[in-house]
Amino acid sequence: MKALVWHGKEDIRCDTVSDPEIEDARDAIIKVTSCAICGSDLHLFHNFIPAMEPGDIMGHEMMGEVVEVGSGINGALKKGDRIVVPFTILCGECDQCKRGNFSVCERSNRNKDMADKVFGHATAGLFGYTHLTGGYPGGQAEYLRVPFADKTHIKVPDSLTDEQALFLGDIFPTGWQAAVNCDIQPTDTVAIWGCGPVGQMAIRSAVLLGAKQVVAIDCIPERLSMAEAGGAITINFETESVVERLNDLTTGKGPEKCIDAVGLESHVSMGQPDTLLDRAKQMVMLESDRPHVLREMIYVCQPGGIISIAGVYGGLVDKIPMGPAMNKSLTFRMGQTHVNRWTDDLVRRIEEGQIDPSFVITHTAKLEDGPDMYKVFRNKQDGCVKVVLKT
């Protein structure tokens, strides 16, 4: 089969690789019909996430048709079923899964010993990601093996197109969880840093959850325009002071809730000296991530507020102002998304017309064009916000 394969920093190729096979009774094989390139794929593209190996198949946003099931599926899936595959692999039986904490499933990370050493305790297995999360082949491919497939799936209603359903596997529930973690009240201002695909979903989620006003911060015109269309007040951090605008919008109090939809690759800007220092530290391996957004959120957030982190961080950050955070009584909530916790509610909202997640798609291409589309997405060329690949 054809698949997008990681060969090193900024080197993704469309290769011919072996077709997946059933390896366990709870496995299923799907024929991928649609997949997408995610912002966190770019962290791998740039080799900011450790424990990638040449030959790893990329991708964790995918859906398709079941073509084979293992003997232990017990009727949960059958050939011909149309499913979205969550990026988090869940067993459905461990203590964490029983609590709905699917992204920290205790059984699905097949490299648990390695992850225990790095993280203290292992997290769940993830598709198309680092070997710290199991090294599972991803879904930017013609076929995919789904472990624990009786639990690791979302059945797609006939009423939804691929484009409406695909993002149930990652960016829609990620943006939703980021907003839910804010405990949004009708009087709240919610400020969201980053208007990429996750930020766009967080904007619309915050609106659906009843925020008084939503403020979106970015510098890419197409992203800011999309954010404004979703109901946000926008701030271009290259031409305006984020701190001053947020204070103006909140009568000097600051936003009650702040969402980081950027993560480890904060934009490097001459107007933000800390980003230049972070980039220099990255280059000499004194720091792995660029946490400008975290610093700015801590500074502007209203005392007693909540900081919700949906953007991915990979390692070590420096110069985080924990003193202000502690003294302002800020609450931090963060984590990889517990995708299936939110499925039923989000499917209902799509079916009722409250939101159509396909709004975020700007580019559709063939799987074999994937290596070029990684660069288009990375460089924000041609107004690119979200890429969907068809097999």
Side-chain angles (χ1 to χ4, degrees):
M1 69 172 182
K2 296 291 186 181
L4 301 188
V5 177
W6 191 88
H7 286 271
K9 182 178 180 179
E10 299 183 8
D11 186 1
I12 304 293
R13 307 175 198 172
C14 186
D15 292 344
T16 299
V17 300
S18 300
D19 290 356
E21 298 178 349
I22 296 289
E23 298 177 16
D24 182 87
R26 293 178 67 183
D27 286 354
I29 307 294
I30 69 163
K31 183 183 188 306
V32 177
T33 55
S34 299
C35 56
I37 301 176
C38 184
S40 50
D41 287 326
L42 292 182
H43 303 330
L44 306 180
F45 183 76
H46 292 139
N47 200 26
F48 284 144
I49 303 292
M52 289 292 291
E53 297 180 5
D56 288 344
I57 297 174
M58 298 285 291
H60 58 267
E61 285 188 291
M62 56 272 174
M63 65 179 296
E65 180 181 330
V66 177
V67 294
E68 190 176 355
V69 296
S71 60
I73 294 297
N74 296 324
L77 288 174
K78 64 180 185 304
K79 291 182 182 179
D81 280 349
R82 186 164 159 254
I83 65 170
V84 169
V85 181
F87 78 94
T88 49
I89 303 170
L90 57 133
C91 74
E93 299 170 347
C94 68
D95 288 343
Q96 294 286 9
C97 283
K98 289 176 181 177
R99 297 185 189 119
N101 297 331
F102 302 121
S103 71
V104 288
C105 170
E106 296 171 320
R107 296 178 56 194
S108 61
N109 190 338
R110 60 187 181 181
N111 291 335
K112 183 180 184 302
D113 289 346
M114 179 194 300
D116 281 346
K117 292 176 182 177
V118 175
F119 294 151
H121 299 284
T123 59
L126 306 180
F127 288 102
Y129 219 63
T130 165
H131 286 259
L132 289 171
T133 54
Y136 288 95
Q140 291 171 3
E142 293 181 309
Y143 292 90
L144 174 72
R145 180 179 78 91
V146 183
F148 298 104
D150 54 325
K151 299 297 182 181
T152 305
H153 72 267
I154 298 167
K155 288 188 178 178
V156 179
D158 293 338
S159 59
L160 302 187
T161 65
D162 271 23
E163 288 73 19
Q164 289 176 306
L166 175 60
F167 303 132
L168 287 166
D170 183 3
I171 61 169
F172 188 13
T174 295
W176 182 260
Q177 179 171 298
V180 169
N181 281 346
C182 287
D183 188 23
I184 293 171
Q185 303 301 309
T187 55
D188 283 346
T189 293
V190 180
I192 299 171
W193 279 255
C195 296
V198 167
Q200 298 292 341
M201 297 298 173
I203 288 164
R204 285 152 180 82
S205 297
V207 170
L208 285 172
L209 290 169
K212 177 184 176 182
Q213 62 180 350
V214 178
V215 184
I217 302 152
D218 206 297
C219 68
I220 308 297
E222 293 82 6
R223 290 181 169 189
L224 290 169
S225 177
M226 188 178 283
E228 190 171 6
I233 300 166
T234 59
I235 299 175
N236 184 332
F237 66 78
E238 288 192 333
T239 61
E240 306 173 89
S241 166
V242 174
V243 176
E244 290 178 5
R245 277 294 309 280
L246 286 174
N247 280 333
D248 287 344
L249 291 166
T250 59
T251 62
K253 292 185 175 182
E256 289 89 350
K257 311 295 165 60
C258 298
I259 294 175
D260 176 359
V262 176
L264 66 89
E265 291 188 78
S266 285
H267 190 80
V268 178
S269 170
M270 293 297 294
Q272 299 163 333
D274 63 317
T275 67
L276 299 174
L277 181 60
D278 286 334
R279 188 69 187 99
K281 288 181 178 179
Q282 273 186 324
M283 293 174 70
V284 295
M285 301 184 71
L286 290 177
E287 186 178 25
S288 60
D289 302 7
R290 301 195 295 268
H292 168 78
V293 167
L294 287 180
R295 299 186 190 109
E296 193 160 74
M297 289 198 307
I298 290 169
Y299 188 76
V300 303
C301 190
Q302 186 174 134
I306 294 175
I307 287 179
S308 173
I309 303 172
V312 172
Y313 285 85
L316 301 175
V317 296
D318 194 10
K319 300 294 187 291
I320 299 300
M322 290 305 296
M326 182 269 174
N327 284 286
K328 290 168 71 176
S329 298
L330 301 183
T331 296
F332 286 72
R333 293 175 178 165
M334 65 192 85
Q336 297 281 8
T337 308
H338 308 304
V339 173
N340 293 64
R341 182 191 292 184
W342 315 111
T343 298
D344 291 345
D345 189 17
L346 298 186
V347 168
R348 176 184 62 81
R349 291 176 185 272
I350 298 173
E351 289 186 312
E352 291 179 355
Q354 296 183 34
I355 185 170
D356 182 348
S358 66
F359 77 88
V360 79
I361 301 170
T362 55
H363 290 65
T364 301
K366 296 178 181 178
L367 180 68
E368 51 263 38
D369 296 326
D372 289 335
M373 296 312 298
Y374 261 87
K375 295 173 184 176
V376 169
F377 183 46
R378 187 269 309 272
N379 296 329
K380 314 297 184 289
Q381 295 172 349
D382 189 29
C384 185
V385 177
K386 187 65 175 179
V387 178
V388 171
L389 302 174
K390 298 287 188 175
T391 59

